[in-house]
Amino acid sequence: LGQANIPAAVEVSPADIATGGPRAASLEGALVQVRNVNVTEVEPEAGPGDGQDGMPTYEFVVDGQLRVDDYFYRIAPFPAVGTSYSSITGVLRWGNANSKIEPRSASDVQ
């Protein structure tokens, strides 16, 4: 598929698609975008099967609710608490007992 065939991202709030959020299940697998978010936690507690043996998960949390993961693309440099993003776009995925947004490339992280 070329870029022309990829649907536009659905703009949502982090709370809507975070684990247990009201739109998390219905948007799983969809391309989503959150705007004007801040990193509030790095390396949150690993879910089952994630970050085994103390290995880093390379996840972080924005706005105290939504996990951002590195399944497709690892953001570099890894953000610190307080880092702000004007937008993060990615596929919403359920993994290791959590909803996670999965950026696909550097262009998904602004």
Side-chain angles (χ1 to χ4, degrees):
L1 288 177
Q3 287 287 10
N5 296 328
I6 297 174
V10 177
E11 191 173 328
V12 291
S13 74
D16 281 347
I17 59 172
T19 305
R23 298 184 70 192
S26 65
L27 289 174
E28 183 180 348
L31 188 62
V32 296
Q33 182 179 68
V34 293
R35 292 187 169 276
N36 303 314
V37 294
N38 296 299
V39 176
T40 53
E41 184 179 358
V42 294
E43 293 295 336
E45 184 177 335
D50 201 9
Q52 300 163 356
D53 299 324
M55 301 284 291
T57 61
Y58 297 104
E59 291 183 6
F60 59 94
V61 177
V62 294
D63 291 3
Q65 304 169 75
L66 178 61
R67 289 179 184 233
V68 179
D69 195 20
D70 69 329
Y71 191 74
F72 301 128
Y73 170 75
R74 183 175 299 159
I75 297 169
F78 191 73
V81 170
T83 301
S84 296
Y85 293 102
S86 59
S87 70
I88 300 176
T89 303
V91 176
L92 185 64
R93 180 177 81 90
W94 176 261
N96 307 103
N98 288 287
S99 292
K100 305 174 184 188
I101 190 170
E102 303 285 355
R104 301 159 297 166
S105 69
S107 63
D108 278 345
V109 184
Q110 306 294 316

